[in-house]
Amino acid sequence: MAGILVVGCSSSEPVVPKSYAFDESRSLKAQFESINLVDGVDAAEADILATLYFARYEGACGANSPVIRERSRWRALTVVGYAGRAQPDIFVDVKTGVVSHKGYPDSAPPWQDLREFCRILN
């Protein structure tokens, strides 16, 4: 599982690995608010959605990897806990932007759950 950053469990905010496609110099909230589905979801947008989704539903004890394109969706591997135990992947649909993760609710545009999480983080 090279390339996956295991996050310490004491942090209350998601830790961003250096290899995500989004712009690390801008806030996740600003980039999240600028997602436009007209042209589909690109890697940077999928990374933002997967990262916010993971932080919202899995918490700060773990991490998701940068997304990988897989046909009509983006896939982010996830790990949790101190040992970095693998969890089900997070998927982001390229056309619709729906975020899914086994055992958790889907998040669909306008992503109210993720929008609220962004508000709480800032």
Side-chain angles (χ1 to χ4, degrees):
M1 294 195 123
I4 296 177
L5 176 65
V6 179
V7 179
C9 294
S10 62
S11 174
S12 62
E13 293 188 30
V15 174
V16 180
K18 297 285 186 221
S19 57
Y20 281 155
F22 57 78
D23 183 352
E24 293 180 61
S25 68
R26 294 178 54 217
S27 76
L28 284 177
K29 181 180 179 183
Q31 293 179 81
F32 170 74
E33 294 295 340
S34 69
I35 293 173
N36 184 346
L37 291 176
V38 171
D39 60 351
V41 177
D42 65 22
E45 293 166 334
D47 273 343
I48 291 164
L49 291 169
T51 298
L52 289 172
Y53 189 95
F54 182 89
R56 165 70 176 82
Y57 289 101
E58 289 281 1
C61 190
N64 61 280
S65 66
V67 296
I68 301 164
R69 180 71 183 257
E70 186 179 84
R71 294 178 295 263
S72 63
R73 63 187 183 176
W74 295 99
R75 177 174 57 105
L77 304 173
T78 64
V79 295
V80 297
Y82 291 109
R85 187 176 37 131
Q87 295 297 297
D89 299 337
I90 294 173
F91 295 100
V92 179
D93 188 278
V94 171
K95 291 181 182 174
T96 66
V98 172
V99 185
S100 59
H101 185 45
K102 185 178 180 182
Y104 295 92
D106 287 355
S107 180
W111 307 286
Q112 285 305 116
D113 54 339
L114 303 183
R115 190 172 311 284
E116 177 63 15
F117 190 71
C118 280
R119 188 190 65 76
I120 292 167
L121 285 177
N122 288 325

